[in-house]
Structure formats: structure tokens, C-alpha cells
Amino acid sequence: MGKRAAIVIGVNKTGTLTPLKAAISGAEEVSQWLSSEGFKVKVLTDKVKALSVRDIKKAVTKVIDGGGYDKLVVYFAGHGYLNGTSEIWLLSGAPDDPNEAIDQSLSAEFARSCGIPSVTFISDACRSLPQTLAGNRLVGVSIFPNRQAPVDVEIDRFFATRPGDAALEIPETEASKRYVGLFTEILKSCHLNPPDSLMAQIEFEGKPTVVVPCRRLKDTLPQIVDNAAQQKSILLTQLPQLRLECGNDTFLARVQFTKGATEQNPRITTIGVLRPRRLQHDAVMGTDDPDALYYSSDVQDALSNTQFRSDINRFMTAQSIRDENRHSGFQVMGKSVLNVVEIASFPHRRRHAGTATALSPLRPEEMARSVLIEFDDGTGSAIVILRDYIATLFVSNIGIQSISYVPSPQSARGEEYEGQRKRTEQLRSIAAAAAKNGILAVDRDDAKRFGDLVRMAKRWDPTLGLYAALAYAEVGLKSDIRSVARHMRSDLGIDFFDAALLSDTFDQSTRIFPFVPALSQTWMYITARGHRLPEALKRAGRHRTASTWTTFTRDGMTILKKAIEKGEIQ
């Protein structure tokens, strides 16, 4: 049996933000809990002095360099943001110093090459959107070093809340003034005399041991935490999110029995007969029920949410407009178009007004063209115009929330698409809503199912291929990403920036469309994949909104337009 280590972080005070009461106490309790489970624990808090990124990087690197570890747990309690699509943990010096924060998403990607087979991130922090300019400017860094160990690493993530929500703090007892994070307390309590449904018996360190497998917590823990929150106040709600890549035998801790039960309890099932994950619908393409098209447990839960269904309906409406008179082009819903810059061999500027903008025809040799679109509020985006496709952009006050491509009625695919239109629009709308809400694919099973669903549909809309590539990237399935990129190249005759980057097939000699990532979440992988952007694009990338699809602020657009005029972007 290999060694196990844990880096436990607690930050009560971050800059001028409201000080927390639960972060340090939660970290100390987790440290004691994991130490009792045989973990070698390093505790890092701001109890005595400010805590920096350097302190945490040093601790993580020491574990990796120590060798022989087969599991590493990284626990964080403190202030957190969902900045765009990145999970940001704030340390003592943030937000004044934008680099004194941890990008959990980037850290997870670098952890895939750390050489430790199992890495678990536990976050008892908010995932709310920053409300200030300083919060939006937080960058966040990876706490894992840039290594290339040839080990398949499973990444598991336990988040105290769903994207966009706040994690709650509650008093541990009415008599005590010491606070604990609700999520941390419930996670620990699930290992103390748990119900039979959470327990399993495995072979651990040479003997039968009763544990709580992580996968059994996936569907159960969110409801337990939410029930506990509502017991404090009927107005409170807190639904954790577990994103798992582990197998059925992975666990955080053993079960502790204090009520007369024993490890020989005959009702405990063994790991070999764990119940399969609950699937509420069959994945049947062409069904009239859009719920059946994409059935991850998180999406199923979200489908009962009014806002989530509203997102789906809006995206369905945005897809329904078709232009019968054009072979290629785009249209915008939600904002007016002020200006379009076409990126061709000889870039030039064209001014238009309205939501349907005419473009210079694609030349016979052009399969695609990148364009920079400026909206009437000064924000904008780079998109790709595809031969024989019409793109529809749905834009809200924070940027582009969905893009869809539909074969032009005048193209050879136009007639074929009519037979696939309904199921493609249903799947595309659910995928767009899931991406917007941060639940596109939360484990490898979800990513595989989603990928299978869009394998054929991405022919009718390449954005489905980009969603699939991103879902695969989130759970480390690189061979599946390469398959998506290869088929998209074959279907379209071009390389999408996102697919090429995520699949590690970026060829500098090949024209990539558009010239920046189309999806906001892909930006995080630029650093992780070792790709270098031109300086102008790098600077513009620091000025993006928190939208699902890349949308630049007014400042970002100014940088891009100047770079195009100077010929720095081709």
C-alpha cells in the first residue's frame, strides 16, 4: 500500500473581504480527521501570518518530490470565486495581488502530470461570481509544478456548492462560538455510523475494511447537506457538486462505528456488487423528450430548476431562425452589431448595423474565415464563418451565452439536416445550458455518454464537437478529444482553435479558426498545454467577460482592433 498525503488550507481573512470564522477551524478538523486515517498532513492557515501561493506550492512540490505517494488530498476552506469558468481560491494577499489566488481548474490540469495516481480536491468555498472589478481581475495560478510524469492520474473534485452559489457557515453548537463550514462538517459526519447504503467493504492494507466509497457520496451528499442547511433556515439551500473520475473502490476515509455496529455487519455490501449509478432516462436520439438526450445526474437535477429550463428554451429559440438566402454568414440575437472586421489575407473593416450582417463572400479556396464582431456596447468576439453554415449568436448583458451553426438551406447538407434538426436542437440547447451552468460533464461517465450522443450530431453543428472536446478535457480523456478533433477536421476541412488545443494537435503551420479560443473555458488550457499566444492576444485575453463563449470587454476589443490594423493577427 502506498503512502497518502494531504495539503490542508484554511484562510479566514482575505484582503478587505468579510473575514470568515470557519476556514481555519475547518482546516484544523480536516487535518485531525485525515491524520487519523494515516495521511501525512501539512496544514497551512493564516492563523499566525498571511498565507501565500508560494507557501502552498512549496508544500505540494515537497509531496510530489517525496515519491511513493498513491493519493494526495488538497483541501481548501476560504473565500472563492467562479471567475468565468475557473474556480478561484483566494489567499491572504488577494484581491490586491491578482496572483495571490489559486486557480483550482488549472491546478487540476497540472495535477494530471504530477505522478500521483489519485488526486482529490475538496473545496469548502463559495463559487459565486465576483461583484467587483478587482475580483474579476483575479488571475489565479497552479499550485502543482509543471511535470510530465507518465502516470494516468484520476482527479476527483468535491465542491461545497454548485457553480454560482455560496457555501454556508453555521455555528457548531449554540453554546460554542467556534464555527465550522457546513459542507466540511457533513462530509466528515457521513463517515460516522453512516447508513448501509453508503458503506462498502474492501480489502485495505491486507484486511477487510468498511469504507464510504466516493461514488456512493455523489448522489447522497448534496441532499444531506441541503437538508442540513434547510434545518437551519427554510430559506437556505446548499447543493454540493462532486466531479469524480475515480473507480468504485476509491474512498477518503474508513467508517467509524460508535453505535454498536461492527465491521462484520452482514448488511454491508462488498465493492464487487455496488449498485450502478442511477440513470433516469435512456439516451435515445430522436426522442420528443429533450431530458432524455443528456442524462447526467447533475443535468437531471438541474432540469427541475426553472432558470435552467428557461436557459434551454431561450437557446432553442435562438436556433430556430434560418436564412434561406445565404450560403454562409452569421446573425446575432440580443444585441446590435456595430462593426465587423474580417480576418483574411488582406484584413479590412466593414461597418454594418442590425442583427443580420452581410459579409464578403468566401473565396472558392476558403473553407472558413475568422471575423471580429463588435457589438453596440463596445464588447465583442472572434468567431468563425464556415462555408455552407449560418451561425447564430445569442448575446446577453454579460456576453455570448450560446453559438449554434446550422447548415444553409442552399447547401448539400441543408436538406439532410432537416431530418436531424429536432434532435440536434434539443441536444445543443441542453448542452449550452449545461455549459453555462458549469455542469456539462462532471465525471468520466457523463463525458463518455455526452460524447456518444454528439458523435453524429456534431456533423450538423460543430459547436457540439467543441462541447464534447471540453467535456472530455475536464475529465482527462485525451484520446477521445483527439477523435473529436480528427472527425471535425474531416467534416469541415479546418481546425477549430479549441479542438486543436485541447487535443494537443495544435500545428503552427495550419490555419486555425478562430484566432482565439471560442469557448471561455478553453483559455485555461492554453497555459496547461504549453501553447504561446501572440502578445496582443495574450493582453486581450485578460479583458474578457464571464460568458460561456469568449467575449471581450471594450478594452479587449481595442487591443484586438489595433493588432489587426497592424497586421499582428492573420
Side-chain angles (χ1 to χ4, degrees), residues 56 72 94 150 171 265 355 480 504:
I56 299 168
L72 172 61
N265 187 331
T355 57
D480 294 278
D504 274 337

Side-chain angles (χ1 to χ4, degrees), residues 3 21 40 101-102 116 130 175 292 304 330 346 394 404 413 428 440 447 453 500 515 518 529 544 555 567:
K3 299 181 295 182
K21 300 176 182 179
K40 183 178 181 180
I102 298 169
I116 300 175
S304 63
F330 74 91
F346 301 96
F394 180 82
S404 61
R413 290 182 183 178
R428 180 168 49 203
L440 182 62
L453 287 174
F515 51 85
R529 295 290 193 268
R544 292 179 288 119
D555 289 340

Side-chain angles (χ1 to χ4, degrees), residues 200 202 213-216 246-251 271 274-275 277:
I202 67 168
C214 293
R215 285 208 167 270
R216 292 202 175 185
C246 61
N248 287 336
D249 59 347
T250 298
F251 67 99
I271 215 71
L274 281 178
R275 292 173 298 172
R277 295 187 64 208

Side-chain angles (χ1 to χ4, degrees), residues 448-471:
K448 282 287 192 182
R449 283 195 295 269
F450 180 60
D452 289 344
L453 287 174
V454 304
R455 191 167 297 277
M456 292 301 297
K458 67 179 182 292
R459 169 179 170 82
W460 314 118
D461 185 350
T463 65
L464 288 171
L466 300 186
Y467 285 133
L470 184 59

Side-chain angles (χ1 to χ4, degrees), residues 315 330-335 371-375 377 379-384 392-404 432 435-436 463 467 517-520 545-552 557:
F315 296 149
F330 74 91
Q331 52 201 3
V332 176
M333 299 182 65
K335 288 187 180 179
V371 299
L372 184 68
I373 303 171
E374 184 178 11
F375 303 124
D377 62 356
T379 64
S381 183
I383 71 164
V384 56
T392 300
L393 286 64
F394 180 82
V395 190
S396 72
N397 61 337
I398 64 170
I400 302 174
Q401 296 294 6
S402 77
I403 298 179
S404 61
K436 175 179 178 290
T463 65
Y467 285 133
L519 284 161
S520 293
T545 69
S547 56
T548 306
W549 292 79
T550 295
T551 308
F552 296 98
M557 288 294 292

Side-chain angles (χ1 to χ4, degrees), residues 123 167 170 248 252 304 328 386 421 560:
S123 174
I170 60 168
N248 287 336
L252 284 175
S304 63
S328 305
L386 288 174
R421 182 176 182 178
L560 290 175

Side-chain angles (χ1 to χ4, degrees), residues 242-302:
L242 275 63
R243 308 184 66 175
L244 305 178
E245 299 174 22
C246 61
N248 287 336
D249 59 347
T250 298
F251 67 99
L252 284 175
R254 296 166 294 182
V255 172
Q256 298 180 37
F257 294 102
T258 64
K259 295 182 179 180
T262 69
E263 294 192 14
Q264 283 72 43
N265 187 331
R267 293 177 298 172
I268 299 171
T269 57
T270 64
I271 215 71
V273 292
L274 281 178
R275 292 173 298 172
R277 295 187 64 208
R278 174 174 53 90
L279 303 181
Q280 297 181 341
H281 294 281
D282 292 329
V284 181
M285 295 298 290
T287 178
D288 290 335
D289 181 7
D291 300 5
L293 292 176
Y294 180 39
Y295 56 83
S296 78
S297 57
D298 285 73
V299 170
Q300 286 297 326
D301 291 340

Side-chain angles (χ1 to χ4, degrees), residues 50-281:
L51 186 62
S52 71
V53 166
R54 181 180 180 182
D55 297 329
I56 299 168
K57 281 185 172 182
K58 183 177 179 181
V60 172
T61 301
K62 185 176 181 179
V63 171
I64 295 171
D65 289 344
Y69 290 97
D70 65 0
K71 187 170 188 64
L72 172 61
V73 171
V74 178
Y75 171 90
F76 176 82
H79 282 290
Y81 283 152
L82 188 66
N83 200 341
T85 50
S86 291
E87 308 282 346
I88 305 295
W89 295 340
L90 281 64
L91 301 180
S92 303
D96 280 353
D97 187 338
N99 295 309
E100 278 301 314
I102 298 169
D103 187 328
Q104 188 281 321
S105 306
L106 184 61
S107 297
E109 187 61 24
F110 273 88
R112 295 192 185 281
S113 302
C114 73
I116 300 175
S118 175
V119 177
T120 300
F121 292 88
I122 303 175
S123 174
D124 199 344
C126 296
R127 302 174 78 188
S128 51
L129 297 176
Q131 301 300 311
T132 65
L133 178 61
N136 278 304
R137 285 177 171 174
L138 282 172
V139 178
V141 299
S142 168
I143 56 174
F144 279 74
N146 186 16
R147 302 289 174 83
Q148 293 296 323
V151 176
D152 183 20
V153 179
E154 292 179 339
I155 305 293
D156 296 324
R157 287 173 262 203
F158 288 63
F159 294 109
T161 69
R162 297 288 178 90
D165 294 339
L168 304 179
E169 292 185 317
I170 60 168
E172 188 180 36
T173 67
E174 294 298 323
S176 173
K177 297 302 182 182
R178 187 168 61 90
Y179 280 61
V180 295
L182 178 64
F183 175 68
T184 295
E185 189 65 14
I186 297 300
L187 179 60
K188 285 177 53 191
S189 69
C190 283
H191 295 77
L192 182 66
N193 302 311
D196 295 346
S197 59
L198 284 182
M199 294 187 286
Q201 185 169 283
I202 67 168
E203 189 78 13
F204 179 65
E205 295 183 338
K207 64 179 181 179
T209 305
V210 180
V211 301
V212 176
C214 293
R215 285 208 167 270
R216 292 202 175 185
L217 288 171
K218 181 168 173 51
D219 293 328
T220 306
L221 184 61
Q223 195 57 57
I224 296 175
V225 172
D226 198 44
N227 289 343
Q230 292 185 39
Q231 286 176 10
K232 301 300 172 182
S233 170
I234 193 67
L235 299 178
L236 296 180
T237 183
Q238 179 172 341
L239 286 169
Q241 183 184 61
L242 275 63
R243 308 184 66 175
L244 305 178
E245 299 174 22
C246 61
N248 287 336
D249 59 347
T250 298
F251 67 99
L252 284 175
R254 296 166 294 182
V255 172
Q256 298 180 37
F257 294 102
T258 64
K259 295 182 179 180
T262 69
E263 294 192 14
Q264 283 72 43
N265 187 331
R267 293 177 298 172
I268 299 171
T269 57
T270 64
I271 215 71
V273 292
L274 281 178
R275 292 173 298 172
R277 295 187 64 208
R278 174 174 53 90
L279 303 181
Q280 297 181 341
H281 294 281

